[in-house]
Amino acid sequence: MAQRLLIMGPQGVGKGTQAALLAKHYGIPTISTGDIFRYNLKNGTPLGKQAQAYIDKGELVPDELTNSIVQDRLGMDDVQEGWILDGYPRSASQVEALDAMLKELKTPLTAVVALDADRAVLMERMKKRAQIEGRADDTPEAIAKRLDIYAKETEPLLDIYAQRGMLISIDGVGEVETISQHIIDQLDKRS
Ligand SMILES: Nc1ncnc2c1ncn2[C@@H]1O[C@H](COP(=O)(O)OP(=O)(O)OP(=O)(O)O)[C@@H](O)[C@H]1O
Ligand SMILES: [Mg+2]
C-alpha cells in the first residue's frame, strides 16, 4: 500500500533519521522543508535569500513561501508512489494548506507519526549535532526559540490528526533501529 506520511515531533527528536529509514523501507522519497531551505541557503538561491533571516533566528519561514515549495514538490513525478513529509506542516494554516493540496491531488494522508522525547534529551542531542554538523541555527538561542514555537504552534496540531484517527505516537528514546521497527509495525497494522 502506498504510504503518504507526516513525521512530526520536536526539534532533535530524530524525525530526519527515522524519515530516512522509513523512506528506504517503503521505497518512497522524504520531503524535508528544512533540507530544502538549507539547500537553497547553501546555493544562495532567491528562495534561500528570502528564508535566511527567519531560519537564522529560529523563526518559521512565512507560510506563503513554505506552502509553495511543498506544493511544487508534491507535483513532481517521483512522489506518485508515496512520500514522507518531515518538518511540515508546522502551523494551523499549513495544515489547511496541506489539506487543500492533498484534496486537489486526490492523495489523502495515510498516517501521521509523532515522535516524542523529554526536553533535556532534545537539548543534549542538538548540542551534539551542533558540534558535528555545525548547523547555523543550532545556537542555544535559536534552539530555545524553535522549541518554544514547536510547543506553541506545532504540538497542538497533533490533536487535529488524533481526532482524524491518523495519529501514531512513538517514543523517540531508544535505539534508532528499534524505534524504526515500532513505527513500521504500527503502520503495517493500519494498512
Ligand atoms: N514548515 C515550515 N514552516 C516554516 N518554516 C520552516 C518549515 N520547515 C522548516 N522551516 C524553516 O527551516 C528551519 C529548519 O527546519 P528543520 O525542520 O530542519 O529544523 P528543526 O526545526 O530544527 O527540526 P530538526 O531538529 O528536526 O531538524 C526552521 O527553523 C524554519 O526556519
Ligand atoms: Mg530535521
Side-chain angles (χ1 to χ4, degrees):
M1 189 193 111
Q3 294 285 2
R4 289 180 296 273
L5 307 172
L6 305 184
I7 186 148
M8 299 184 71
Q11 286 71 19
V13 79
K15 297 184 296 287
T17 303
Q18 292 301 328
L21 292 175
L22 292 172
K24 194 166 160 220
H25 181 82
Y26 292 110
I28 54 181
T30 298
I31 302 171
S32 159
T33 45
D35 286 349
I36 294 172
F37 283 132
R38 274 187 288 281
Y39 174 87
N40 282 278
L41 286 180
K42 206 177 92 194
N43 292 288
T45 67
L47 172 65
K49 288 188 178 123
Q50 280 175 282
Q52 173 120 47
Y54 301 99
I55 293 172
D56 286 350
K57 279 187 271 181
E59 290 170 4
L60 293 184
V61 174
D63 286 336
E64 261 182 19
L65 215 57
T66 310
N67 291 336
S68 74
I69 64 169
V70 174
Q71 176 139 33
D72 288 349
R73 190 66 189 84
L74 287 175
M76 292 183 190
D77 286 342
D78 65 322
V79 302
Q80 304 312 313
E81 299 305 316
W83 39 260
I84 304 167
L85 266 172
D86 166 7
Y88 182 94
R90 266 165 137 101
S91 64
S93 91
Q94 291 182 8
V95 170
E96 263 182 53
L98 179 64
D99 284 344
M101 288 176 221
L102 298 183
K103 193 170 171 204
E104 173 84 28
L105 291 164
K106 299 194 174 67
T107 53
L109 279 176
T110 51
V112 176
V113 176
L115 295 169
D116 204 8
D118 288 340
R119 190 167 171 127
V121 173
L122 303 173
M123 296 297 291
E124 196 49 44
R125 287 187 186 169
M126 277 188 280
K127 254 198 326 206
K128 265 202 204 129
R129 182 172 76 182
Q131 286 164 357
I132 298 166
E133 295 178 20
R135 257 176 64 168
D137 62 346
D138 276 347
T139 60
E141 297 76 28
I143 288 172
K145 177 79 144 289
R146 301 209 306 284
L147 286 172
D148 288 345
I149 295 176
Y150 177 80
K152 216 165 106 199
E153 301 218 25
T154 310
E155 204 178 10
L157 307 178
L158 298 180
D159 287 340
I160 299 177
Y161 291 114
Q163 278 163 20
R164 294 183 191 178
M166 303 298 294
L167 195 68
I168 294 174
S169 295
I170 303 280
D171 187 353
V173 184
E175 293 286 333
V176 166
E177 299 289 343
T178 311
I179 296 168
S180 169
Q181 199 51 56
H182 286 158
I183 299 173
I184 291 166
D185 288 346
Q186 294 295 319
L187 287 173
D188 289 350
K189 234 194 265 174
R190 290 175 61 92
S191 45

